[in-house]
Structures are given as structure tokens and as C-alpha cells.
Amino acid sequence: MTTALRRCFSTASSQAKSLNIGLIPADGIGKEVIPAAQRVLEALSTSVKFNFTTLDAGFEHFQKTGVALPQETLDFLKSECDGALFGAVSSPSHKVAGYSSPIVALRKHLDLYANVRPVASVASPNNTQQKPIDMLIIRENTECLYIKQERQVEENGQKVAWADRRISEFASKRCGAMAFKMALSRDKLRSQLPESQRFWKGNPKVTIVHKSNVLSVTDGLWRETVRAVHENNPEFQKIEVEEQLVDSMVYRMFREPQMFDVVVAPNLYGDILSDGAAALVGSLGIVPSANVGDSFVVGEPVHGSAPDIAGQKKANPIASIRSAGLLLEHLGYHSEASKIYSAVDAVLREGQILTPDLGGKATTDEVTEAVIKGL
């Protein structure tokens, strides 16, 4: 971990005033939205200086070189960067010999064990959402089916495919701890807001998602471990804890999303829930995420590479811009992150400069300029 990052994680009062950020546009619209996020960060240059380095990774890079995540990229991130922004990856749905997703590999090599995905509504002329949403999904990032241990065999002349699933006490415990810590952090931030701006009114709450009624061993271990984190830590006793079976969670999330504060889930469930939750706030194009570990953070928009609109200047940059805000927030730069969030919310609230996914006609650059103006 670099000296600057160590200072940022330890205390906001000892922040460095210069950050080295790795930029990994990767595939498709990643090449459009990551430069947009860079421009927004550069507009904050009066309070913090950024040094950017663009790095290679992605399926397109694999097609050219046979390598999806170059060792040079990984080494540079580890030795020279305080954090990074990742764009999008075009992972094919069919098997490609020698290829595996670079973002999954990054999470593994940098031990980014939690994927943090806020889903929040903003009132605007184009948002008919009547129930305000302020939900944070914490997705375990290193295990479950994403360990990608698959095999295919023949049984009685028929093909049979198998996939191993891993759930460990270690990974479940630290992901659960992050969920409870962030529940307390969100509660503290809410207490500083006017009553009219608080979407969540009660005590902080964590919802543990599982399917232990069927997967009693793997999901059973997840459920028991996360609950134990709460029960064994006096600092977490203020937090309410509930459980939801994953199928019931999907139903309730769409019917009454205002009932959820922090949601913590194993890798696969968290992936599906967070993508589905984006529909509640209008578009995948506005939902950010951060891949978080104890010593590194990678901001990443939730959307994919969108090859159907790549190069057409239609891509919504807001998810990437918000991901840049999340990156700063987890590095300890809360004031700068708040400026980004406020500027984005103002653009959405006004509803005049929006990309086609939100019903508008603006280009990627026009939305980016509107956010920068809002800063």
C-alpha cells in the first residue's frame, strides 16, 4: 500500500493532497465514460491534485495480445496507484479458450472483497418513482460461484456440467463487518441532514440475503457467520438485523424498496440484486459501485460495455462519475465526493440534460459538462 493511501485510510485529517489514479477503460463504452469521470475529477483540482495513468485490460486487449489483464497493469496498480477506475468489460457468453474476466481477476489479485453498490432515487421531471429509495447493496466479491471452478463430464452418454461453489467463514465475516460498519456510517451522515432529506427514518438496518432453506451448508454458513458478526460486536447493537430469502428479496425489493437500508449478499445474489435494483432508479447508466478491500479501491460503473451504442456518444457517464465519487469517499476525501454527488443529483433533478437511456437526447460530453458546471 502506498504512503498516500495508508494516510487516507487511517484518517481524513491526514489526507494527502495528491492522488495517483489508474484508469482502465477496457472495452466498449468504457473508453467513453472513464475519460468523462477523469474530466470531473480534474475539475476538483483546486482541492486535490490527480495524476492519471491509463492502463490496459479487457476482452479487446485479449483479442489483440492473448492477455486480458497484463501483469504490467497489475504491478503498476500495486506499486504506483492509490486507487483506480475500471470502465466495462465485454466478457463473451460462450467459452473462449484462455480468457477470463479481468475485473474478476483484479478483485482477486487486489483482494477487493466487497462490492459496494448504492441505489438511490432522485426526484426529477423524468422520475415517476413515488417511493424514495436509499439502499446500499454490499456484495461479497471473491467467492460463491465466481471462483469459476466448472467441469463437464458425460453420464450415460449425456453431457453434464458442474460448478463448485465456495463460501468461507473468513470471507463472510469480513463482508458482514463492512456491511455493519457502513450501516453505522450512513446513519451518522443522515443525522446531519435536514429531516425532509432523510429517506430512511429509523435505526440503521442490515438485511442478510441467503437461500439457506435449500442450500443449508453454504448459505447456512454465510447466514450464521454474518449474524455472528452482529451478535459479537457491541458497537453494532444499534443496528437492526433481518433476513430475506433471495427470491423473496427480489419480490420485496421491487414492491417496497423503501423498506431496505443496507443489504448484504453472497457474490451471485448480490450481482443479480444490484443490477435489478438499477431498474428502480431509471437506468444502469446511473448506478455506481466500488470494489473495496483493506488497502485498495477500484471504482466501477455497474453497466456493461454496451457494444450496441459504443462510439455513438450516447453512453451515460453518470455511473462512472458517481463511481469516481465512491472512490474518493473510500479514500477519505468525503468533501470532494459530496461535491460530485451533489452535482450529479442536480443534473438528474433538473432533467434537462439526459442521455437516451433516461429519455433525453444529450450526449456523453454534454452530460459531463453539465456535471462539471454543477461543481
Side-chain angles (χ1 to χ4, degrees), residues 14-56:
S14 58
Q15 289 176 355
K17 290 300 181 183
S18 179
L19 289 175
N20 298 319
I21 304 298
L23 302 176
I24 311 172
D27 303 321
I29 62 172
K31 295 182 173 68
E32 301 168 57
V33 296
I34 291 301
Q38 178 184 351
R39 289 174 57 198
V40 172
L41 289 175
E42 288 171 339
L44 295 170
S45 59
T46 55
S47 56
V48 59
K49 179 183 177 182
F50 295 94
N51 302 306
F52 297 102
T53 303
T54 300
L55 303 168
D56 290 325

Side-chain angles (χ1 to χ4, degrees), residues 5 7-15 19 297 325-337:
L5 184 59
R7 286 199 295 267
C8 290
F9 267 88
S10 61
T11 172
S13 64
S14 58
Q15 289 176 355
L19 289 175
V297 184
L326 275 177
L327 172 65
L328 292 180
E329 182 180 346
H330 283 275
L331 290 178
Y333 289 78
H334 301 286
S335 175
E336 289 78 6

